[in-house]
Amino acid sequence: NRTLANPTNLINGASYILLVKQDAAGNRTLSFGDAYKFSDGEAPTLSTTANAVDIIAFLSDGTNMYGSFSGNFS
């Protein structure tokens, strides 16, 4: 299980893409610092099956990261 700390040196208008892949055991969790903003104020529930892949795309305003989630690629 991991926590994604708030990023530094963000660029206003920049986009960032995060690929999150479970290891062979799965059931890992990821929590986010408060600079990560998601629709309805709720962080996404990431896939927990072994080797699952999720993608989170972010757009930055220079202070925060606004995320859009796509999950469970196989």
Side-chain angles (χ1 to χ4, degrees):
N1 300 335
R2 297 284 185 255
T3 298
L4 194 58
N6 289 333
T8 59
N9 301 318
L10 291 173
I11 298 169
N12 185 16
S15 58
Y16 303 87
I17 297 176
L18 177 66
L19 185 140
V20 181
K21 183 175 182 183
Q22 289 283 345
D23 61 15
N27 293 316
R28 311 292 183 207
T29 62
L30 180 65
S31 57
F32 300 87
D34 61 1
Y36 295 93
K37 310 295 184 190
F38 296 96
S39 182
D40 296 326
E42 295 290 327
T45 301
L46 301 179
S47 304
T48 58
T49 56
N51 300 308
V53 174
D54 297 324
I55 297 174
I56 308 172
F58 293 97
L59 182 62
S60 176
D61 66 0
T63 302
N64 294 303
M65 299 274 281
Y66 296 92
S68 176
F69 171 75
S70 296
N72 201 22
F73 286 85
S74 56

